[in-house]
Amino acid sequence: MAVLVVAVRPDGERTGVADLADVLIVRELGSETWARLAVDLRVGKVIGAAVTSESRSDAWQLVHAAHRGLLVDSAEEEIVSALIHHGWMRIASHKQQVVLVPPAESSPNRSVASEEFGQLIEGDEPVSTLVDPHEVSLDDEQLFGVFASHRLGGSSALLAMSGADVASCRMEDRRLELRNPAALGLERVDRDPWSIVTPPVRCVVLGLASRDDAPSWTLFAEPDAVSQLWETRDRNRADFWLMIELTASEVDPPVWMPAGQIFEQKSFTGRQTLATTAAAGTLVTPGRRSTLLLPAFCLDRHLGSPASDPMRVTPLRSPLPRGATQDRVWWQRIVARGGQA
């Protein structure tokens, strides 16, 4: 059962560490509970919700919506460091808890017009722009620049990782804060001469959920070999996988993928973006196929699970947290979006 810890203000006239004397543990996280806590946060009756390993994303959603502080277990060093890095301020400590407040500006990136966004998309400055998702074309070079899908690619990943979902792409009155790679904490990898994006190789990729028993391998030149590789996987190693087939015609390029190499859906399917869990590389011999089955992390918790989807490699990498797990990666992505679950 999920648990949300809430710090309750025992005396409306007092402020500071003493306010943390009363702590309420909420075990029933129904809609009525969320509504009541949101009101209590706004009026100051409740100081903040604590991030726990059982309900990190839920606590984030509540506190971000109420624009109040965050009570964090001091043992969660990674969370505290990430928040401080993104402009949060430590205002008090009490026993095993640390109290932090968000930056004055809830979003760490500068909002710009869509025309300017396309010009700044490759820069180091975190920027965002409001778009109507149902009107966005992944091929729009004015909006996505080099990351347009007909160029290097990455537009589908940027759209998904900015928080788009199927509903937002169908509702005309739904606006999305589209963020550039800098605002999402992503790095470029295509400048490496051995990057999988740059060598003269053909790359066929499927995104898979570990529970998939009989995916279609029709995209691959040697479906029987690929099927055998899939059947011999360690099912407990990862929840998500990338099946990659590489071919080259005239040269034998080495191909390298760092940990966190991002693969995107070829169109906005409402399913997840994936990133490799560890670095991987191979030498592609002309006339032969190099097939890799790599464990992957999902980068979009709010989207559906991959369903043997054809995917495309991007020139982007998501740096992974130390001791990365799926939960830690999801938490990192929430932090990168300014606390939006």
Side-chain angles (χ1 to χ4, degrees), residues 108-112 116-117 120-121 123-129 177-184:
N109 45 270
R110 181 166 66 95
S111 182
V112 299
E116 187 179 1
F117 179 81
L120 300 175
I121 194 168
D124 295 329
E125 179 188 9
V127 295
S128 66
T129 189
E177 187 179 13
L178 179 65
R179 301 168 189 247
N180 71 341
L184 291 169

Side-chain angles (χ1 to χ4, degrees), residues 66-306:
H67 301 291
R68 291 283 175 171
L70 195 64
L71 178 67
V72 183
D73 191 306
S74 58
E76 297 277 8
E77 297 178 3
E78 179 186 340
I79 298 176
V80 173
S81 297
L83 289 169
I84 292 175
H85 175 74
H86 283 79
W88 288 61
M89 182 179 298
R90 185 197 304 256
I91 61 171
S93 299
H94 179 68
K95 295 183 180 178
Q96 300 300 316
Q97 283 77 42
V98 177
V99 185
L100 302 104
V101 293
E105 183 68 31
S106 61
S107 177
N109 45 270
R110 181 166 66 95
S111 182
V112 299
S114 58
E115 298 81 4
E116 187 179 1
F117 179 81
Q119 299 169 3
L120 300 175
I121 194 168
E122 293 187 74
D124 295 329
E125 179 188 9
V127 295
S128 66
T129 189
L130 292 177
V131 298
D132 295 314
H134 73 287
E135 295 181 349
V136 170
S137 168
L138 300 180
D139 289 329
D140 187 348
E141 195 168 325
Q142 287 191 326
L143 182 62
F144 291 107
V146 72
F147 303 113
S149 58
H150 69 289
R151 296 187 66 186
L152 274 177
S155 54
S156 180
L158 293 177
L159 186 66
M161 296 175 70
S162 293
D165 54 28
V166 174
S168 69
C169 291
R170 292 177 178 170
M171 297 171 58
E172 294 187 2
D173 59 346
R174 180 72 177 268
R175 303 277 281 177
L176 174 74
E177 187 179 13
L178 179 65
R179 301 168 189 247
N180 71 341
L184 291 169
L186 307 179
E187 298 175 353
R188 291 282 292 274
V189 296
D190 56 301
R191 296 184 178 97
D192 186 327
W194 290 0
S195 168
I196 190 173
V197 183
T198 54
V201 298
R202 179 175 178 269
C203 183
V204 177
V205 185
L206 283 189
L208 301 155
S210 188
R211 64 176 179 270
D212 293 342
D213 290 325
S216 172
W217 307 115
T218 55
L219 291 179
F220 296 93
E222 299 177 352
D224 291 341
V226 172
S227 177
Q228 184 177 1
L229 181 60
W230 178 245
E231 293 302 325
T232 58
R233 73 192 183 281
D234 181 356
R235 295 172 181 263
N236 297 322
R237 186 178 178 187
D239 292 329
F240 307 101
W241 297 82
L242 290 158
M243 183 71 77
I244 305 171
E245 183 182 74
L246 302 169
T247 56
S249 56
E250 299 178 357
V251 294
D252 54 349
V255 174
W256 175 253
M257 289 171 283
Q261 170 76 59
I262 294 176
F263 291 79
E264 67 180 0
Q265 299 285 339
K266 288 188 175 183
S267 62
F268 193 78
T269 62
R271 291 191 288 271
Q272 296 158 348
T273 309
L274 299 179
T276 56
T277 65
T282 187
L283 187 67
V284 183
T285 303
R288 300 185 62 182
R289 294 172 179 82
S290 296
T291 305
L292 304 173
L293 178 60
L294 304 179
F297 288 127
C298 155
L299 299 180
D300 320 293
R301 187 175 189 174
H302 61 290
L303 295 180
S305 179

